[in-house]
């Protein structure tokens, strides 16, 4: 019995650590478009979607294809989605190609292939992430703050 418990404990710990990430996922399903206020926007030739407050908006954004950078913003131990994050995307030469004020909690961007620096700011805390965009699958950038402290990847 002691062997079974020592074997099961690590499995249970991994499951508990994964649960917050899984709990944030929005279930697939129909979208009531009457409640969705999101539409594709464009800045400097870059198409993007920003929003996702409420189940219908989250589903709407997540069901859109063709965006190769998908960002999500969350906070706290329950991984609650948060809006109001400032986002700046810079190309490899350091030129800003996209600036969004008070974006999120989901931001989907369609970028040309290349390397980009994504600068996110929440409550004055700036974070920088480098992403390589190519012809492969979309790049996921999940930014998580614990209270007012950044924890994400």
């Amino acid at each position: 019995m002691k062997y079974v418990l020592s074997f099961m404990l690590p499995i249970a710990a991994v499951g508990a650590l994964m649960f917050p990430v899984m709990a944030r996922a929005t279930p697939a399903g129909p979208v009531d478009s009457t409640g969705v206020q999101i539409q594709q926007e464009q800045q400097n030739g870059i198409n993007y979607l920003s929003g996702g407050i409420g189940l219908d908006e989250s589903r709407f954004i997540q069901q859109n294809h063709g965006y190769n950078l998908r960002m999500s913003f969350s906070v706290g131990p329950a991984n609650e989605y948060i809006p109001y994050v400032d986002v700046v995307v810079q190309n490899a030469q350091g030129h800003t190609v996209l600036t969004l004020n008070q974006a999120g909690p989901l931001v989907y961007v369609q970028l040309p292939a290349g390397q980009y620096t994504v600068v996110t700011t929440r409550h004055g805390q700036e974070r920088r992430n480098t992403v390589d965009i190519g012809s492969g699958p979309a790049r996921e950038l999940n930014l998580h703050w614990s209270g007012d402290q950044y924890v994400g990847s």
Side-chain angles (χ1 to χ4, degrees):
M1 182 68 168
K2 205 176 217 185
Y3 175 74
V4 171
L5 286 177
S6 65
F7 176 74
M8 294 302 288
L9 187 57
I11 292 173
V14 168
L17 290 173
M18 288 181 63
F19 179 74
V21 173
M22 292 172 21
R24 247 188 38 212
T26 302
V31 174
D32 178 6
S33 59
T34 60
V36 175
Q37 301 296 317
I38 298 172
Q39 59 185 348
Q40 180 176 285
E41 296 185 55
Q42 190 178 82
Q43 187 180 111
N44 299 323
I46 306 295
N47 294 324
Y48 69 92
L49 295 171
S50 176
I53 297 174
L55 188 57
D56 285 325
E57 281 193 6
S58 293
R59 283 180 177 165
F60 176 81
I61 290 177
Q62 292 174 345
Q63 291 176 5
N64 273 273
H65 302 285
Y67 296 91
N68 50 16
L69 175 60
R70 298 176 183 172
M71 294 179 274
S72 64
F73 312 126
S74 64
V75 67
N79 290 316
E80 297 172 357
Y81 280 139
I82 55 168
Y84 311 121
V85 175
D86 295 334
V87 178
V88 175
V89 179
Q90 300 170 333
N91 63 19
Q93 294 74 34
H95 298 113
T96 298
V97 297
L98 183 66
T99 302
L100 302 175
N101 296 315
Q102 299 188 345
L106 300 173
V107 175
Y108 281 25
V109 184
Q110 186 179 31
L111 294 166
Q115 186 174 40
Y116 296 88
T117 299
V118 178
V119 181
T120 52
T121 306
R122 178 181 181 269
H123 292 248
Q125 294 183 345
E126 180 182 288
R127 302 293 180 240
R128 292 179 176 268
N129 293 275
T130 302
V131 294
D132 288 313
I133 303 295
S135 60
R139 176 74 163 93
E140 302 281 340
L141 190 56
N142 302 304
L143 300 159
H144 178 81
W145 286 264
S146 175
D148 284 340
Q149 182 180 4
Y150 174 79
V151 183
S153 60

